Amino acid sequence: MILYSTVLNTYSKHFLIQHLRKNKWFWDHKFFFEHLSKKHYLILAKSLLIRSNKVVFVQMEGVIHHWYYYRPTYLADIVFGYREGPKNIYWNHLFDDYASGRTFDPTYKSKSTSDLISKVCLISSNTNKIRSIKNNYPDIYKDLDIYGELHKPIDKERNLNPNRSETSLSTLARYMASLCIENNEDEGYAQGSAMWSLAAMTPPILKASPTIKNFLRKEFYINFFDYIKMTNQERLSAIKRVQERLLSGDSYLTNLTKDYIQFFSESFESDEEPDLKKITLQSQSFRRKFIKI
């Protein structure tokens, strides 16, 4: 597995990277992720021209209108990403975040709710998200505790950087709820912005596509557009209901999500040559279920 990226390497924690590295059939495939250097672009152009190795695109990022995210996917041998296509195997950030199997502090599962900060927090380094809430929902914005760029630091020594730090979990865990905002609502896209709040057992108020219900069980988050219509008492009641579900220990993933992650994992088991045509067809069949509103 030959990986090209300015922010990732072959030992990164991404499940996609870790899992496919184990399969010997991918050892000589060239994987091009979203963030590439000028040198990488030259290697990509040469690889597509000479075709001495199989070329794989990984396209999980949702911001596709920037030119530097464009890839001639019709020239690739395989595409791992959230969009539809004849060579596309469905995979997005939410799947990868959960499947990576990160371990979190188990004490969150039994945390006390009696001394939580009775406010909603937003932890984000995405200034566009923060600006959107400020401009479009000023009443929500004024009551938020915001951590990130140009706002409160996540700890005493450093601010939140674009690479999410696990130190943010301890901050999330102290609040009664957190605001989570997906990057966009592109078809099939799922960032999994609520995953860290769920790991900290903090009820997420989730601003996302309606299709998020196919990825996460509705009992484990509060729909942002419902939340803004609620009275203060209704908001507190909704937060309490989600908090109780989180502390119950039930899985917040839908059966569809669990089934798909299992299917994906089994499709690329170590040393077995994957039937890419079959996998792609099955993967796109799953995708159609995820995008159904």
Side-chain angles (χ1 to χ4, degrees):
M1 181 179 187
I2 308 167
L3 190 150
Y4 296 96
S5 170
T6 57
V7 295
L8 301 169
N9 59 51
T10 54
Y11 298 97
S12 295
K13 292 182 179 180
H14 276 257
F15 176 81
L16 182 71
I17 295 172
Q18 293 179 330
H19 195 57
L20 297 186
R21 277 182 60 223
K22 300 174 184 177
N23 190 305
K24 69 180 182 181
W25 295 93
F26 290 111
W27 77 270
D28 59 347
H29 286 43
K30 292 185 176 181
F31 283 72
F32 293 88
F33 281 71
E34 293 97 336
H35 300 278
L36 302 177
S37 66
K38 291 181 180 179
K39 181 180 179 180
H40 293 160
Y41 278 112
L42 292 174
I43 295 172
L44 171 57
K46 183 178 179 181
S47 299
L48 292 174
L49 182 64
I50 298 177
R51 313 299 299 194
S52 58
N53 299 88
K54 294 289 181 69
V55 173
V56 182
F57 292 155
V58 181
Q59 297 183 299
M60 296 191 290
E61 293 286 354
V63 189
I64 61 174
H65 56 270
H66 289 299
W67 68 267
Y68 47 79
Y69 286 118
Y70 172 75
R71 300 286 184 274
T73 53
Y74 62 94
L75 294 176
D77 294 286
I78 312 169
V79 179
F80 290 99
Y82 69 90
R83 285 177 280 172
E84 184 181 19
K87 301 175 183 178
N88 289 43
I89 298 173
Y90 189 41
W91 198 245
N92 59 40
H93 282 298
L94 187 151
F95 297 146
D96 204 277
D97 192 20
Y98 186 84
S100 65
R102 294 188 181 92
T103 56
F104 300 109
D105 190 336
T107 60
Y108 296 141
K109 295 181 180 180
S110 58
K111 71 177 185 180
S112 171
T113 59
S114 61
D115 56 352
L116 296 176
I117 300 172
S118 57
K119 295 186 71 175
V120 177
C121 72
L122 169 61
I123 298 180
S124 178
S125 59
N126 188 324
T127 54
N128 288 331
K129 290 183 180 181
I130 298 172
R131 186 178 296 108
S132 175
I133 295 298
K134 180 181 179 182
N135 293 340
N136 298 312
Y137 308 98
D139 290 340
I140 298 292
Y141 177 81
K142 68 181 176 63
D143 292 329
L144 285 174
D145 273 359
I146 303 176
Y147 295 83
E149 296 299 321
L150 307 178
H151 291 82
K152 294 181 180 181
I154 205 69
D155 57 35
K156 294 180 180 180
E157 297 182 0
R158 62 169 184 258
N159 208 345
L160 183 70
N161 59 56
N163 296 317
R164 280 187 171 182
S165 170
E166 293 188 11
T167 56
S168 65
L169 284 172
S170 59
T171 299
L172 280 170
R174 297 186 354 246
Y175 281 83
M176 71 171 186
S178 71
L179 177 59
C180 304
I181 306 170
E182 294 284 278
N183 279 344
N184 62 62
E185 298 185 11
D186 290 351
E187 183 184 84
Y189 178 79
Q191 178 191 3
S193 59
M195 301 295 275
W196 285 59
S197 292
L198 293 168
M201 297 291 155
T202 299
I205 301 164
L206 182 54
K207 187 175 184 292
S209 164
T211 61
I212 197 67
K213 65 181 175 61
N214 299 324
F215 298 89
L216 302 174
R217 293 171 62 189
K218 291 188 289 185
E219 308 96 297
F220 288 85
Y221 64 89
I222 302 165
N223 183 294
F224 174 80
F225 298 104
D226 292 337
Y227 182 81
I228 61 177
K229 298 174 185 176
M230 295 177 184
T231 64
N232 286 337
Q233 188 58 46
E234 289 172 334
R235 290 175 180 178
L236 291 173
S237 296
I239 290 170
K240 183 179 179 181
R241 284 197 299 272
V242 175
Q243 183 69 82
E244 289 174 351
R245 289 310 300 263
L246 282 171
L247 294 176
S248 72
D250 289 346
S251 173
Y252 48 78
L253 297 181
T254 63
N255 288 334
L256 180 61
T257 298
K258 289 188 283 189
D259 288 345
Y260 186 70
I261 291 174
Q262 181 178 353
F263 157 76
F264 186 93
S265 179
E266 292 176 351
S267 296
F268 300 103
E269 289 293 347
S270 302
D271 287 345
E272 293 184 10
E273 183 177 8
D275 185 342
L276 293 176
K277 184 177 181 180
K278 180 180 179 181
I279 292 170
T280 301
L281 289 174
Q282 290 180 289
S283 172
Q284 289 299 311
S285 177
F286 266 105
R287 183 184 181 276
R288 287 191 288 273
K289 297 176 183 178
F290 279 108
I291 66 174
K292 187 176 181 180
I293 296 178

